[in-house]
Amino acid sequence: MAEMRLIDVKKEILSDNQARAAENRELLRRNRVFMVNLMASPGAGKTSLIMRTISELQEAFGIGVIEGDIASAVDAEKVAAAGVPAVQLRTGGFCHLDATMISMALQELELAKLDLVIVENVGNLVCPAEFDLGENKKAMILSIPEGDDKPLKYPLMFSVTDALVINKMDYLGGEADFDMTAFMARIQSLNQTVRTFKVSCKTGEGLESWTHWLRDEIASCRGAVPETIQ
Amino acid sequence: MAEMRLIDVKKEILSDNQARAAENRELLRRNRVFMVNLMASPGAGKTSLIMRTISELQEAFGIGVIEGDIASAVDAEKVAAAGVPAVQLRTGGFCHLDATMISMALQELELAKLDLVIVENVGNLVCPAEFDLGENKKAMILSIPEGDDKPLKYPLMFSVTDALVINKMDYLGGEADFDMTAFMARIQSLNQTVRTFKVSCKTGEGLESWTHWLRDEIASCRGAVPETIQ
C-alpha cells in the first residue's frame, strides 16, 4: 500500500474566496456603499426586481448593478438603458459568481459616487449560496410558481439569506398550488432572522417594504440616516 | 443610457489557468517527469486503464497518480493499494480539474522519484477539454457503448486530445451498434494527429500499443531511451 493524500479542493477554493471577499467588504466600507447579493432560480424575477428597485430609489441614491450571466449581456443593457451604470460578468458556463469576479466588477464602478450596488447572481439556488462575495447582505427571490417545497430542496440558500423576497404574489390562489403557511414554517425552521417581503414585480404590490428595507440598510452603511428616509 | 462594461470571466480564468499550467510544466520538465491528463465520461474505464497501466509499467518506472473526483476517494485508495502513490483531489462539485489543483497535488508527490504522473480528470467530456493542467499530453477514452456519435457531440475534447483510447472493444459486434468506420472518419475530420488505441481493459486486448506509446513518451521526457524500452 503506497501513500494516499486527500486534497479537499472546495475547501481551499472557499478559503481563498473568503480572503478576497474580505477585501471587497473593506473596499465597500471605505466607500460607504451597501452591496446586496441577489440570488434566485432562473425566471424568479431578479431582473424585474432590480428594475423596480432602480425606479424607486434612483432619485435618492447612486446605484450601480453587477450582472452575472452565463452567456449573455442583455440584463446589463436593460439596466444601463435605465440610466444606472452596469457591469456584466459573463461567466462562460460557471454557475455562480465569486469574490474575485466581484472584485473585477467593482473596479469598473465609480464607488465614490454610489450608495447601493446590486449584484444579480447567476440563476441557480445551489452554488451561489456557498460563495461570499463581500456583500453586506444576501437576498433571494422565491417566486410563487416555483412551489412551497423549495426550502426542503435548497436548504442552504434559504438558511444563509438575510432577506427573502416572495415574488409573483399575483399567482397565489390562482393557478399556483402554493401553501404559504407550510412555506413560512419551512423558512422559520431554517432561518429565524430572515426578513420576508411578499411582492409582485408585475403589479408593484408590496415593493415599498422591500425598498424601505434597502433604504434602512443603505443609511446604516452611510453611518447616518439621510433626508430621503421617511 | 449609463455606461455598461462587459467582463469576460471565463477568458480571465483561462488566462490565469494558462500561467499556472506553465509553472506545472516547468516543474515537471525539471524533474524529467511525463504527465498525461486522462479524460473521459463517467464509466468509460479511466480507473481500469490506470490500473492496467500501473501493472504493466510499475516495474520499469516510478509512477504517481492524481485522481480527480467530485466527492469520493475510492479511486485513489485503489491506486495506493496497488503500491503507487496517489493524491485524491476532491473537487466538491467542480466538473473539471484546473492547473492550480494540479499544482497542489504535485506538491504532495515526490517528483524526483517519478517518471510518469497519470492524472485522472473528473468524468466529463466538456469542461476538462478547456483547462490546460501543464500536462505533456492529453489522452481520452471513448468506450464502445457510448456510441460512435460522440465526436459530433463533444468536438472540442476530440480535437484537443493527443491520444484516443477506444475501450471496451469486447462490446463491438455484440450488443453495441457502433460504426467504427464512421467513428474514425469523424475523428479524422476533427484531429489529424491523434494516436488511437483500440483496447479492452477487461480482456487486456490491445493494451501493449498504449503502454508502448507511454514508454516512448516517458523516454523522450527523460531525454534518453532507458534500458527498459525494447
Side-chain angles (χ1 to χ4, degrees):
Chain A
M1 179 87 188
E3 202 173 3
M4 194 211 116
R5 298 289 185 94
L6 175 66
I7 299 177
D8 209 326
V9 174
K10 193 165 203 182
K11 218 189 239 170
E12 303 267 349
I13 289 174
L14 287 178
S15 120
D16 184 54
N17 184 72
Q18 206 56 43
R20 295 188 187 226
E23 290 168 20
N24 292 346
R25 200 169 276 116
E26 174 56 20
L27 179 68
L28 293 165
R29 195 195 60 74
R30 281 205 313 274
N31 285 280
R32 298 179 173 211
V33 172
F34 173 73
M35 185 166 87
V36 61
N37 173 9
L38 184 59
M39 299 173 284
S41 289
K46 292 188 296 303
T47 311
S48 303
L49 184 66
I50 289 171
M51 297 312 290
R52 282 280 192 179
T53 304
I54 287 172
S55 98
E56 290 297 315
L57 298 182
Q58 76 184 139
E59 275 184 39
F61 302 106
I63 306 178
V65 171
I66 299 172
E67 287 286 344
D69 199 280
I70 287 177
S72 86
V74 289
D75 291 341
E77 283 160 10
K78 216 183 280 184
V79 167
V84 164
V87 181
Q88 180 76 47
L89 287 165
R90 192 159 55 187
T91 68
F94 290 92
C95 56
H96 63 272
L97 299 180
D98 67 21
T100 305
M101 301 179 202
I102 294 299
S103 162
M104 292 191 267
L106 288 174
Q107 285 167 38
E108 300 289 333
L109 292 170
E110 285 188 83
L111 292 178
K113 291 186 179 172
L114 301 183
D115 307 296
L116 168 66
V117 170
I118 307 174
V119 177
E120 178 173 342
N121 217 311
V122 181
N124 176 346
L125 286 181
V126 183
C127 312
E130 299 205 56
F131 285 81
D132 183 3
L133 306 181
E135 71 275 1
N136 299 82
K137 297 281 174 180
K138 290 183 199 292
M140 70 166 291
I141 306 176
L142 187 282
S143 64
I144 295 295
E146 290 174 76
D148 53 44
D149 60 336
K150 289 300 163 293
L152 303 173
K153 295 197 176 165
Y154 306 101
L156 183 64
M157 179 64 81
F158 287 90
S159 305
V160 300
T161 195
D162 299 295
L164 166 61
V165 177
I166 306 168
N167 189 24
K168 306 193 189 175
M169 283 295 287
D170 48 303
Y171 278 76
L172 202 62
E175 303 277 289
D177 181 24
F178 190 100
D179 183 339
M180 185 62 81
T181 312
F183 177 74
M184 293 307 284
R186 283 164 194 154
I187 297 298
Q188 274 300 311
S189 76
L190 290 168
N191 189 332
Q192 280 80 51
T193 58
V194 65
R195 294 285 302 269
T196 57
F197 307 98
K198 296 178 183 170
V199 314
S200 164
C201 287
K202 191 168 148 201
T203 68
E205 175 199 344
L207 281 164
E208 64 293 342
S209 60
W210 160 252
T211 53
H212 189 83
W213 178 75
L214 281 176
R215 284 172 187 269
D216 282 353
E217 293 293 337
I218 294 166
S220 72
C221 271
R222 284 172 149 189
V225 180
E227 313 83 333
T228 48
I229 299 286
Q230 280 85 46
Chain B
M1 181 86 185
E3 201 174 3
M4 195 210 114
R5 298 289 186 93
L6 175 66
I7 299 177
D8 210 327
V9 174
K10 193 165 202 179
K11 216 188 241 170
E12 302 267 348
I13 289 173
L14 287 177
S15 122
D16 184 53
N17 184 73
Q18 205 57 44
R20 294 185 187 228
E23 290 168 20
N24 292 346
R25 200 170 275 115
E26 174 57 20
L27 178 68
L28 293 164
R29 196 195 59 76
R30 281 204 313 272
N31 285 280
R32 297 177 172 214
V33 173
F34 172 73
M35 185 166 87
V36 60
N37 173 10
L38 184 59
M39 298 172 285
S41 289
K46 292 188 298 299
T47 311
S48 304
L49 183 67
I50 290 172
M51 298 311 292
R52 283 280 192 178
T53 305
I54 288 172
S55 96
E56 291 296 317
L57 298 183
Q58 76 184 140
E59 274 183 42
F61 303 105
I63 306 178
V65 171
I66 299 173
E67 286 285 346
D69 199 278
I70 286 176
S72 85
V74 290
D75 291 342
E77 282 159 12
K78 218 183 279 183
V79 167
V84 164
V87 181
Q88 179 77 47
L89 287 165
R90 193 158 58 187
T91 68
F94 290 92
C95 55
H96 62 272
L97 299 180
D98 67 22
T100 305
M101 301 179 201
I102 293 299
S103 161
M104 292 192 268
L106 288 174
Q107 285 166 37
E108 301 289 331
L109 291 170
E110 285 188 83
L111 292 178
K113 292 185 180 172
L114 301 183
D115 307 296
L116 168 65
V117 170
I118 306 174
V119 177
E120 178 174 341
N121 217 311
V122 180
N124 177 345
L125 286 182
V126 184
C127 311
E130 298 205 55
F131 286 80
D132 182 3
L133 307 181
E135 71 273 1
N136 299 84
K137 296 281 175 180
K138 291 183 198 291
M140 70 166 291
I141 306 176
L142 187 282
S143 64
I144 296 295
E146 291 173 75
D148 54 45
D149 61 337
K150 289 299 163 291
L152 303 173
K153 294 195 177 168
Y154 306 101
L156 183 62
M157 179 66 79
F158 287 89
S159 305
V160 299
T161 195
D162 300 295
L164 167 61
V165 177
I166 306 168
N167 190 25
K168 307 193 188 175
M169 284 295 287
D170 47 303
Y171 277 77
L172 203 62
E175 304 278 287
D177 179 25
F178 190 101
D179 183 339
M180 185 62 82
T181 312
F183 177 75
M184 294 308 283
R186 283 164 194 155
I187 297 298
Q188 273 301 311
S189 76
L190 290 168
N191 189 333
Q192 280 80 52
T193 58
V194 65
R195 294 286 302 269
T196 56
F197 306 98
K198 296 179 183 170
V199 314
S200 163
C201 288
K202 192 167 147 200
T203 67
E205 174 199 343
L207 281 163
E208 65 293 342
S209 60
W210 161 251
T211 52
H212 190 84
W213 177 75
L214 281 176
R215 284 171 188 270
D216 282 353
E217 293 293 335
I218 295 167
S220 72
C221 273
R222 284 171 149 190
V225 181
E227 313 82 335
T228 47
I229 301 287
Q230 279 88 44

